[in-house]
Amino acid sequence: GQQLNQSPQSMFIQEGEDVSMNCTSSSIFNTWLWYKQDPGEGPVLLIALYKAGELTSNGRLTAQFGITRKDSFLNISASIPSDVGIYFCAGQRRGTSYDKVIFGPGTSLSVIP
Amino acid sequence: DGGITQSPKYLFRKEGQNVTLSCEQNLNHDAMYWYRQDPGQGLRLIYYSQIVNDFQKGDIAEGYSVSREKKESFPLTVTSAQKNPTAFYLCASSIGRQSYEQYFGPGTRLTVT
């Protein structure tokens, strides 16, 4: 069943606004990954997080590994039209083998010029 | 340029036919994965392979088969036993042990009528 929850499910924002989204679980995770998928394309890895409390930036994107290890957050500053897409979180859950990565259902982002 | 290629981008088949989707990588990655994506949903793991000549079932392996005869290649066969084969199929690879970062190909959209 679904083990990762993402919110919001979708969001519509004005160009230039900041965006915040999160990923939560009832289980503890050792690794959090954030991906962006453009329509009809494969997901692209944006940021990887490996330690609780870790804060990592990639350009206008910033992601954090939650202190409880059960959540992660992604922020996009000063959004632009090309930020449109679906953002997936993914994680490797504690107690599972290294190769089992679970994906969330995604947050769909629309940017209004 | 290193990367993952999937071919073809679009594939159409009649019900009852087996079809094989191609996935090739030149990243020298040990691990490869196949995911299925349905509209509005996250990624579901079909099969994965950590090393040549070895592979394991994922969460939704029924109706699918794979082979891993070469490090670079991990073809997926969608058999006639798969009840709802129409979907977007994504191949990914990762370095292998101790790495959870998966890199995706562009995907193949399969339509079965």
Side-chain angles (χ1 to χ4, degrees):
Chain A
Q2 190 77 292
Q3 294 177 292
L4 285 180
N5 301 301
Q6 285 190 249
S7 66
Q9 189 173 22
S10 62
M11 51 196 317
F12 294 81
I13 61 167
Q14 289 288 142
E15 182 177 356
E17 287 184 356
D18 295 343
V19 173
S20 292
M21 61 185 78
N22 65 55
C23 184
T24 59
S25 174
S26 57
S27 303
I28 290 175
F29 280 72
N30 290 333
T31 300
W32 289 102
L33 307 167
W34 283 95
Y35 289 86
K36 179 186 181 235
Q37 184 178 31
D38 291 330
E41 300 295 329
V44 173
L45 181 62
L46 299 173
I47 294 176
L49 302 161
Y50 291 98
K51 279 177 57 176
E54 181 181 354
L55 191 70
T56 298
S57 293
N58 178 4
R60 293 178 296 104
L61 279 62
T62 301
Q64 184 165 22
F65 195 135
I67 292 292
T68 65
R69 299 176 69 184
K70 294 182 178 181
D71 54 14
S72 180
F73 309 91
L74 177 69
N75 294 312
I76 305 173
S77 63
S79 59
I80 59 178
S82 61
D83 290 335
V84 166
I86 301 176
Y87 290 80
F88 290 102
C89 66
Q92 188 266 340
R93 194 161 53 90
R94 188 180 71 172
T96 61
S97 62
Y98 78 94
D99 49 1
K100 294 296 284 289
V101 171
I102 301 166
F103 286 81
T107 291
S108 175
L109 176 64
S110 299
V111 178
I112 305 166
Chain B
D1 272 342
I4 302 174
T5 57
Q6 291 186 244
S7 61
K9 182 68 173 173
Y10 299 96
L11 195 51
F12 298 88
R13 280 293 183 272
K14 293 289 187 187
E15 197 173 312
Q17 293 179 334
N18 292 353
V19 59
T20 298
L21 281 60
S22 166
C23 177
E24 305 276 333
Q25 56 99 359
N26 61 4
L27 299 167
N28 200 32
H29 284 175
D30 284 328
M32 297 186 74
Y33 312 80
W34 274 105
Y35 291 90
R36 172 184 171 133
Q37 186 177 33
D38 293 289
Q41 297 194 28
L43 280 63
R44 292 186 290 169
L45 183 64
I46 305 172
Y47 268 99
Y48 63 100
S49 168
Q50 301 170 13
I51 198 167
V52 173
N53 293 323
D54 186 46
F55 49 82
Q56 288 79 39
K57 293 182 179 179
D59 301 318
I60 56 165
E62 186 176 348
Y64 299 98
S65 66
V66 293
S67 63
R68 186 87 186 276
E69 297 176 2
K70 297 187 299 183
K71 186 175 185 176
E72 314 81 58
S73 179
F74 191 39
L76 173 75
T77 297
V78 183
T79 75
S80 57
Q82 167 50 232
K83 298 197 185 317
N84 295 297
T86 295
F88 190 48
Y89 290 89
L90 288 160
C91 178
S93 70
S94 66
I95 291 174
R97 292 196 176 273
Q98 299 176 3
S99 174
Y100 310 107
E101 297 176 22
Q102 296 182 16
Y103 297 87
F104 286 83
T108 292
R109 185 167 299 282
L110 172 65
T111 302
V112 177
T113 57

